[in-house]
């Protein structure tokens, strides 16, 4: 499918697999018990919970299944693109990268990612984000977006480094812009990074 230009472009459906850096990014399958288990592991990992507080916190496989199904539905309707990051050679799941809150009027979106504990230290987040970013900004074979935003809690230094390696410039600190870990009644500051389609490409 070739994407039409302008603010009302849609992403290809189904999403294309993305390859590079020894990784394969493929759409999540909400009907796969293996994918549900991976999603559960990622979203209940202590490091994920330290830095992320979703609206609906994953507590068990049923809530993981519901959360993954919502992610798959958002991908299907074009408001996001959720990818399972896997080892290209073995197919082993490594983590997640998503292009979220796609705004076709402003030609923008927000990106996020997490990596399973056993896959850390291998630059998985950096390489997966680089692949997703190139696709999201590319046209005619990608989303053709103009601006991608990336935010993280202040103090999450590893996420800050991932952003910088992938060309997401630091744009400032947003006060009380995200929830504290595990709470919906307290707030903390976050850093905002962004990358434009007109920024120089990077090879992280």
């Amino acid at each position: 499918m070739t994407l039409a230009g302008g603010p009302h472009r849609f992403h290809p459906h189904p999403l294309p697999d993305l390859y590079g850096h020894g990784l394969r990014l493929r759409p999540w399958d909400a009907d796969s018990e293996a994918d549900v288990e991976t999603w559960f592991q990622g979203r209940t990992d202590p490091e994920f919970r330290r830095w992320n507080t979703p609206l609906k916190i994953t507590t068990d496989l049923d809530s993981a299944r519901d959360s993954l199904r919502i992610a798959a539905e958002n991908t299907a309707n074009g408001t996001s693109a959720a990818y399972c990051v896997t080892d290209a050679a073995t197919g082993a799941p490594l983590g997640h990268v998503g292009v979220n809150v796609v705004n076709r009027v402003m030609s923008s979106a927000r990106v996020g990612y997490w990596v399973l504990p056993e896959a850390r230290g291998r630059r998985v987040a950096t390489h997966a984000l680089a692949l997703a970013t190139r696709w999201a900004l590319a046209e005619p074979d990608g989303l053709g977006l103009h601006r991608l935003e990336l935010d993280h809690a202040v103090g999450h230094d590893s996420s800050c480094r991932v952003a910088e390696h992938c060309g997401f410039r630091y744009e400032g600190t947003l006060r009380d812009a995200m929830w504290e870990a595990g709470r919906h009644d307290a707030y903390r500051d976050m850093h905002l990074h962004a990358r434009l389609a007109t920024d120089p490409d990077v090879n992280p």
Side-chain angles (χ1 to χ4, degrees):
M1 174 180 177
T2 299
L3 299 175
H8 301 294
R9 59 172 64 90
F10 287 81
H11 64 61
H13 180 72
L15 293 183
D17 288 1
L18 306 177
Y19 293 87
H21 307 287
L23 301 178
R24 174 194 174 203
L25 275 56
R26 60 164 178 80
W28 288 94
D29 181 358
D31 294 322
S32 163
E33 288 304 313
D35 275 15
V36 171
E37 177 65 30
T38 298
W39 188 262
F40 171 74
Q41 291 175 0
R43 287 172 63 97
T44 57
D45 173 65
E47 194 68 6
F48 175 88
R49 289 187 165 181
R50 179 184 178 191
W51 299 114
N52 302 275
T53 306
L55 178 60
K56 293 185 178 181
I57 298 174
T58 299
T59 56
D60 52 28
L61 283 174
D62 286 339
S63 59
R65 186 176 292 103
D66 291 342
S67 174
L68 182 56
R69 195 168 299 282
I70 291 171
E73 290 172 353
N74 289 339
T75 296
N77 67 30
T79 58
S80 72
Y83 276 109
C84 180
V85 181
T86 69
D87 185 295
T90 67
L94 306 174
H96 161 79
V97 63
V99 181
N100 310 308
V101 198
V102 175
N103 183 328
R104 297 186 184 88
V105 175
M106 292 302 298
S107 191
S108 66
R110 296 170 63 184
V111 294
Y113 44 83
W114 48 260
V115 177
L116 294 172
E118 61 268 25
R120 292 177 188 147
R122 296 159 48 185
R123 305 195 73 199
V124 170
T126 298
H127 290 149
L129 178 62
L131 289 172
T133 296
R134 288 195 183 101
W135 173 74
L137 297 177
E139 56 180 342
D141 297 322
L143 292 180
L145 297 175
H146 176 66
R147 175 180 170 89
L148 294 178
E149 296 183 352
L150 185 161
D151 57 61
H152 61 81
V154 171
H156 195 353
D157 296 338
S158 60
S159 193
C160 208
R161 288 192 295 271
V162 169
E164 292 171 350
H165 287 321
C166 291
F168 285 77
R169 298 182 187 178
Y170 171 69
E171 294 190 342
T173 299
L174 306 183
R175 297 177 302 150
D176 279 6
M178 66 186 302
W179 283 314
E180 287 280 5
R183 299 179 62 178
H184 291 152
D185 61 349
Y187 303 89
R188 54 182 163 176
D189 297 350
M190 73 180 187
H191 283 170
L192 175 65
H193 299 254
R195 180 165 162 186
L196 306 180
T198 52
D199 288 339
D201 195 12
V202 295
N203 186 20

